[in-house]
Amino acid sequence: MAQAVDALRHGWPIKVGDAPVLLPVETALDRTSRSDHLLISHARAETLKITNQRPAADGHSPVLMRAADALDLHGALPVADPALDPANPLKGPFQAVTLEWMTAARTAMELARIAGILPAFLVDAEPAGEAVALKSVDLAAWSDPDNLVIATRAHLPISAEENAEIIVFRSPGDMREHVALVLGRRMIDIPPLVRLHSECLTGDIFGSLKCDCGPQLDGALAAMSAAAADGSWGVLLYMRQEGRGIGLVNKLRAYRLQDEGFDTLEANRRLGLPEEARDFPLAARMLDLLGVDRLRLMTNNLEKVVALEDAGVTVIERVPHELPANPHNTRYLATKRDRAGHILT
């Protein structure tokens, strides 16, 4: 898995089981590679109005398409990237064909998401180069939360709370390092106030007004500091799952589509990526390693509550976590409420 993700980021081909060799359209090094077959997402196939396609609930599902003529990577990129549609309005003709290696194709699409690239591949391209081989079962083994371990921990006074500890987690083959901040003195008999916070570079660091991530992070730390002052304690899990799990580059691609009028979920789908790809069971593993099995969860997202409880963590209270909207994120917050099931007033 790690080698395959690295291969996609470097533009090298992969081969999943007995499926054809797949060359990533976005990153491939040899721009002369050509094929008349492409593997794309169902959502992208709908946008391109490929024949034999019906709307799918999961736009991330794969579709095998045949072009009238072989495409090189210069011609394939506009097929893969919806951001290029205004400059390349006419494409095709294309036709969907039978996909006999669906499991391998799904694995490839998920590998593209993990690698943070567009989910599009030339199929059996010439030339392609030597492929990195893997099996579909490798994906499940790689994503097993039991692989996660505590790497190290240290005292870390922060502006919100001087009595704080930072704990770093990692797993073999995954370069993402997740973090827990424990605020206050840990007490086994008192369930902590917990926040699952997914990484957001634009909001957490640059103060983006397009989302509410930065204020949510600051508000959670302030609430946990107050809990520590009242004799309780808090745990903030900072999870490296940028852009709801699609990665920074694809998140910014989604931002460009939002500028064209699509909401945050529609933009993800238009890219052929999941509307929600965060791994909440991973948070349960982090809590287990911290010895936390009962907690008060700071969230408006019921999916987080369900995911933790399904993993054996007892959520004794859901603590609402809502902040005022601004002119730039009003639609974003409404989308979370109306389409993602968040409980917002």
Coordinates of all heavy atoms in Angstrom, one line a residue, residues 72-124:
D72 N -3.5 10.8 -25.3 CA -2.3 10.9 -24.5 C -2.7 11.6 -23.2 O -3.8 12.0 -22.9 CB -1.2 11.6 -25.3 CG -1.6 13.0 -25.7 OD1 -2.6 13.6 -25.1 OD2 -0.9 13.6 -26.5
L73 N -1.7 11.8 -22.3 CA -2.0 12.4 -21.0 C -2.4 13.9 -21.1 O -3.2 14.4 -20.3 CB -0.8 12.3 -20.1 CG -0.6 10.8 -19.7 CD1 0.9 10.6 -19.3 CD2 -1.5 10.5 -18.5
H74 N -2.0 14.6 -22.2 CA -2.4 16.0 -22.4 C -3.9 16.0 -22.7 O -4.6 16.9 -22.2 CB -1.6 16.6 -23.5 CG -2.1 18.0 -23.9 ND1 -1.7 19.1 -23.1 CD2 -2.8 18.5 -24.9 CE1 -2.3 20.2 -23.6 NE2 -2.9 19.8 -24.7
G75 N -4.4 15.0 -23.5 CA -5.8 14.9 -23.8 C -6.6 14.3 -22.7 O -7.8 14.6 -22.6
A76 N -6.0 13.5 -21.9 CA -6.8 12.8 -20.8 C -7.0 13.7 -19.6 O -8.0 13.6 -18.9 CB -6.0 11.5 -20.4
L77 N -6.1 14.7 -19.4 CA -6.2 15.5 -18.2 C -7.5 16.3 -18.1 O -8.2 16.3 -17.1 CB -5.0 16.4 -18.0 CG -5.0 17.2 -16.7 CD1 -4.9 16.2 -15.5 CD2 -3.7 18.1 -16.7
P78 N -8.0 16.9 -19.2 CA -9.3 17.6 -19.2 C -10.5 16.7 -18.9 O -11.5 17.1 -18.5 CB -9.4 18.3 -20.6 CG -7.9 18.4 -21.0 CD -7.3 17.2 -20.5
V79 N -10.3 15.4 -19.3 CA -11.3 14.5 -19.0 C -11.4 14.2 -17.5 O -12.5 14.0 -16.9 CB -11.1 13.1 -19.8 CG1 -12.2 12.1 -19.4 CG2 -11.0 13.4 -21.3
A80 N -10.3 14.3 -16.9 CA -10.2 13.9 -15.4 C -10.5 15.1 -14.5 O -11.1 14.9 -13.4 CB -8.8 13.4 -15.1
D81 N -10.2 16.3 -14.9 CA -10.2 17.5 -14.0 C -11.4 18.4 -14.4 O -11.3 19.1 -15.4 CB -8.9 18.2 -14.1 CG -8.7 19.3 -13.0 OD1 -9.7 19.6 -12.3 OD2 -7.6 19.8 -12.9
P82 N -12.4 18.5 -13.6 CA -13.5 19.4 -13.9 C -13.2 20.8 -13.9 O -13.9 21.7 -14.5 CB -14.6 19.0 -12.8 CG -13.8 18.5 -11.7 CD -12.6 17.7 -12.3
A83 N -12.1 21.2 -13.2 CA -11.6 22.6 -13.2 C -11.2 23.1 -14.6 O -11.2 24.3 -14.8 CB -10.5 22.8 -12.2
L84 N -10.9 22.1 -15.5 CA -10.5 22.5 -16.8 C -11.7 22.5 -17.8 O -11.5 22.8 -19.0 CB -9.5 21.5 -17.3 CG -8.2 21.4 -16.5 CD1 -7.3 20.3 -17.1 CD2 -7.5 22.7 -16.4
D85 N -12.9 22.3 -17.3 CA -14.1 22.3 -18.2 C -14.3 23.6 -18.9 O -14.6 23.6 -20.1 CB -15.3 21.9 -17.4 CG -15.4 20.4 -17.1 OD1 -14.5 19.6 -17.7 OD2 -16.2 19.9 -16.3
P86 N -14.2 24.7 -18.3 CA -14.5 26.0 -19.0 C -13.5 26.2 -20.2 O -14.0 26.8 -21.2 CB -14.2 27.1 -17.9 CG -14.5 26.4 -16.6 CD -14.0 25.0 -16.8
A87 N -12.3 25.8 -20.1 CA -11.4 25.9 -21.2 C -11.4 24.8 -22.2 O -10.9 24.9 -23.3 CB -9.9 26.1 -20.6
N88 N -12.0 23.7 -21.8 CA -12.1 22.5 -22.7 C -13.5 22.0 -22.7 O -13.8 20.9 -22.2 CB -11.1 21.4 -22.2 CG -9.7 21.9 -22.2 OD1 -9.0 21.7 -23.2 ND2 -9.3 22.4 -21.1
P89 N -14.5 22.7 -23.2 CA -15.9 22.3 -23.1 C -16.3 21.1 -23.9 O -17.2 20.4 -23.5 CB -16.6 23.6 -23.6 CG -15.7 24.2 -24.5 CD -14.3 24.0 -24.0
L90 N -15.6 20.8 -25.0 CA -16.0 19.7 -25.9 C -15.1 18.6 -25.7 O -13.9 18.7 -25.9 CB -16.0 20.2 -27.3 CG -16.9 21.4 -27.7 CD1 -16.8 21.8 -29.1 CD2 -18.4 21.0 -27.4
K91 N -15.6 17.4 -25.3 CA -14.9 16.2 -25.1 C -15.6 15.0 -25.7 O -16.8 15.1 -25.8 CB -14.6 16.0 -23.6 CG -14.0 17.1 -22.9 CD -13.8 16.8 -21.4 CE -13.2 18.0 -20.6 NZ -14.2 19.1 -20.5
G92 N -14.9 14.0 -26.0 CA -15.6 12.8 -26.5 C -15.5 12.6 -28.0 O -14.7 13.3 -28.6
P93 N -16.2 11.7 -28.6 CA -17.2 10.9 -27.9 C -16.6 9.8 -27.0 O -15.6 9.2 -27.3 CB -18.1 10.3 -29.0 CG -17.1 10.2 -30.1 CD -16.1 11.4 -30.0
F94 N -17.3 9.5 -25.9 CA -16.9 8.4 -25.0 C -18.1 7.4 -24.8 O -19.2 7.8 -25.0 CB -16.5 9.0 -23.6 CG -15.4 10.0 -23.7 CD1 -15.6 11.3 -23.1 CD2 -14.2 9.8 -24.3 CE1 -14.7 12.2 -23.1 CE2 -13.2 10.7 -24.3 CZ -13.5 12.0 -23.7
Q95 N -17.7 6.2 -24.4 CA -18.7 5.2 -24.1 C -18.3 4.4 -22.9 O -17.1 4.0 -22.8 CB -19.0 4.3 -25.3 CG -20.1 3.3 -25.1 CD -20.4 2.5 -26.3 OE1 -19.6 2.4 -27.3 NE2 -21.5 1.8 -26.4
A96 N -19.2 4.2 -22.0 CA -18.9 3.3 -20.9 C -18.9 1.8 -21.4 O -19.8 1.4 -22.2 CB -20.0 3.5 -19.8
V97 N -18.0 1.1 -20.9 CA -17.9 -0.3 -21.3 C -17.9 -1.2 -20.0 O -17.7 -0.7 -18.9 CB -16.6 -0.6 -22.1 CG1 -16.7 0.1 -23.5 CG2 -15.4 -0.2 -21.4
T98 N -18.1 -2.5 -20.2 CA -18.2 -3.4 -19.0 C -16.9 -3.4 -18.2 O -15.8 -3.5 -18.8 CB -18.5 -4.8 -19.5 OG1 -19.7 -4.8 -20.2 CG2 -18.7 -5.7 -18.3
L99 N -17.0 -3.2 -16.9 CA -15.9 -3.3 -16.0 C -15.9 -4.6 -15.3 O -16.7 -4.8 -14.4 CB -16.0 -2.1 -15.1 CG -14.9 -2.0 -14.0 CD1 -13.5 -2.0 -14.6 CD2 -15.1 -0.7 -13.2
E100 N -15.0 -5.5 -15.7 CA -15.0 -6.8 -15.2 C -14.0 -7.0 -14.0 O -14.0 -8.1 -13.4 CB -14.5 -7.8 -16.3 CG -15.5 -7.9 -17.4 CD -15.1 -8.8 -18.5 OE1 -13.9 -9.2 -18.5 OE2 -15.9 -9.1 -19.4
W101 N -13.4 -5.9 -13.6 CA -12.4 -6.0 -12.4 C -12.8 -4.9 -11.4 O -12.0 -4.0 -11.1 CB -11.0 -5.9 -12.9 CG -10.8 -5.0 -14.1 CD1 -11.0 -5.3 -15.4 CD2 -10.4 -3.6 -14.1 NE1 -10.7 -4.3 -16.2 CE2 -10.3 -3.2 -15.5 CE3 -10.0 -2.7 -13.2 CZ2 -10.0 -1.9 -15.9 CZ3 -9.6 -1.4 -13.5 CH2 -9.6 -1.0 -14.9
M102 N -14.1 -4.9 -11.0 CA -14.7 -3.8 -10.2 C -13.9 -3.6 -8.9 O -13.6 -2.5 -8.4 CB -16.1 -4.1 -10.0 CG -16.8 -3.0 -9.1 SD -16.8 -1.3 -9.8 CE -18.1 -1.5 -11.0
T103 N -13.6 -4.7 -8.2 CA -13.0 -4.7 -6.9 C -11.6 -4.0 -7.0 O -11.3 -3.1 -6.2 CB -12.8 -6.1 -6.3 OG1 -14.1 -6.6 -6.1 CG2 -12.1 -6.0 -4.9
A104 N -10.8 -4.4 -8.0 CA -9.5 -3.8 -8.2 C -9.7 -2.3 -8.6 O -8.9 -1.4 -8.1 CB -8.8 -4.5 -9.3
A105 N -10.7 -2.0 -9.4 CA -11.0 -0.6 -9.8 C -11.3 0.3 -8.5 O -10.8 1.4 -8.4 CB -12.1 -0.5 -10.8
R106 N -12.1 -0.3 -7.7 CA -12.5 0.5 -6.4 C -11.2 0.7 -5.6 O -11.1 1.8 -5.0 CB -13.5 -0.3 -5.6 CG -14.9 -0.3 -6.3 CD -15.9 -1.0 -5.3 NE -17.2 -1.1 -5.9 CZ -18.1 -0.1 -5.9 NH1 -17.9 1.0 -5.3 NH2 -19.3 -0.3 -6.4
T107 N -10.4 -0.3 -5.5 CA -9.1 -0.1 -4.8 C -8.3 1.0 -5.4 O -7.7 1.8 -4.7 CB -8.4 -1.4 -4.8 OG1 -9.1 -2.5 -4.1 CG2 -7.0 -1.3 -4.0
A108 N -8.2 1.0 -6.7 CA -7.4 2.1 -7.4 C -8.0 3.5 -7.1 O -7.2 4.4 -6.9 CB -7.4 1.8 -8.9
M109 N -9.3 3.6 -7.1 CA -9.9 4.9 -6.8 C -9.6 5.3 -5.4 O -9.3 6.5 -5.1 CB -11.4 4.8 -7.1 CG -11.8 4.4 -8.5 SD -11.3 5.6 -9.7 CE -12.6 6.8 -9.7
E110 N -9.6 4.4 -4.5 CA -9.4 4.7 -3.1 C -7.9 5.1 -2.9 O -7.5 6.0 -2.1 CB -9.8 3.6 -2.2 CG -9.6 3.9 -0.7 CD -10.6 5.0 -0.2 OE1 -11.4 5.4 -1.0 OE2 -10.5 5.3 1.0
L111 N -7.0 4.4 -3.6 CA -5.6 4.7 -3.6 C -5.3 6.1 -4.1 O -4.5 6.9 -3.5 CB -4.8 3.7 -4.4 CG -4.5 2.4 -3.8 CD1 -4.0 1.4 -4.9 CD2 -3.4 2.5 -2.7
A112 N -6.1 6.5 -5.1 CA -5.9 7.9 -5.7 C -6.3 8.9 -4.6 O -5.7 9.9 -4.4 CB -6.8 8.1 -6.9
R113 N -7.4 8.6 -3.9 CA -7.9 9.5 -2.8 C -6.8 9.7 -1.7 O -6.4 10.8 -1.3 CB -9.2 9.1 -2.2 CG -9.7 10.0 -1.1 CD -10.7 9.4 -0.2 NE -10.3 8.2 0.5 CZ -9.6 8.3 1.7 NH1 -9.3 9.5 2.2 NH2 -9.3 7.2 2.4
I114 N -6.2 8.5 -1.3 CA -5.2 8.5 -0.3 C -4.0 9.3 -0.7 O -3.4 10.0 0.1 CB -4.9 7.1 0.1 CG1 -6.1 6.4 0.8 CG2 -3.7 7.0 1.1 CD1 -5.9 4.9 1.0
A115 N -3.6 9.1 -2.0 CA -2.5 9.8 -2.5 C -2.7 11.3 -2.8 O -1.8 12.1 -3.0 CB -2.0 9.2 -3.8
G116 N -4.0 11.7 -2.8 CA -4.3 13.1 -3.0 C -4.3 13.6 -4.4 O -4.1 14.7 -4.7
I117 N -4.5 12.6 -5.3 CA -4.5 13.0 -6.8 C -5.9 12.8 -7.4 O -6.8 12.2 -6.7 CB -3.5 12.2 -7.5 CG1 -3.9 10.7 -7.5 CG2 -2.1 12.4 -7.0 CD1 -3.0 9.8 -8.5
L118 N -6.1 13.2 -8.6 CA -7.4 13.0 -9.2 C -7.6 11.6 -9.5 O -6.7 10.8 -9.9 CB -7.4 13.8 -10.6 CG -7.4 15.3 -10.5 CD1 -7.1 15.9 -11.9 CD2 -8.7 15.8 -10.0
P119 N -8.9 11.1 -9.3 CA -9.2 9.7 -9.5 C -9.4 9.3 -10.9 O -10.5 9.1 -11.4 CB -10.4 9.5 -8.6 CG -11.1 10.8 -8.7 CD -10.0 11.8 -8.7
A120 N -8.3 9.2 -11.7 CA -8.4 9.0 -13.1 C -7.2 8.3 -13.6 O -6.1 8.7 -13.2 CB -8.7 10.2 -13.9
F121 N -7.3 7.2 -14.4 CA -6.2 6.4 -14.8 C -6.3 6.1 -16.3 O -7.4 5.8 -16.8 CB -6.1 5.1 -14.1 CG -6.0 5.2 -12.6 CD1 -7.1 5.4 -11.8 CD2 -4.7 5.2 -12.0 CE1 -6.9 5.5 -10.4 CE2 -4.5 5.3 -10.7 CZ -5.6 5.4 -9.8
L122 N -5.2 6.1 -17.0 CA -5.1 5.4 -18.3 C -5.0 3.9 -18.1 O -4.2 3.5 -17.2 CB -3.9 5.9 -19.1 CG -4.0 7.4 -19.7 CD1 -2.7 7.6 -20.5 CD2 -5.2 7.6 -20.6
V123 N -5.7 3.1 -18.9 CA -5.8 1.7 -18.7 C -4.9 1.0 -19.7 O -5.1 1.2 -20.9 CB -7.2 1.2 -18.8 CG1 -7.2 -0.3 -18.6 CG2 -8.1 1.9 -17.7
D124 N -3.9 0.3 -19.3 CA -3.0 -0.4 -20.2 C -2.4 0.5 -21.2 O -2.3 0.3 -22.4 CB -3.7 -1.6 -20.9 CG -3.6 -2.9 -20.1 OD1 -2.8 -3.0 -19.1 OD2 -4.4 -3.8 -20.3

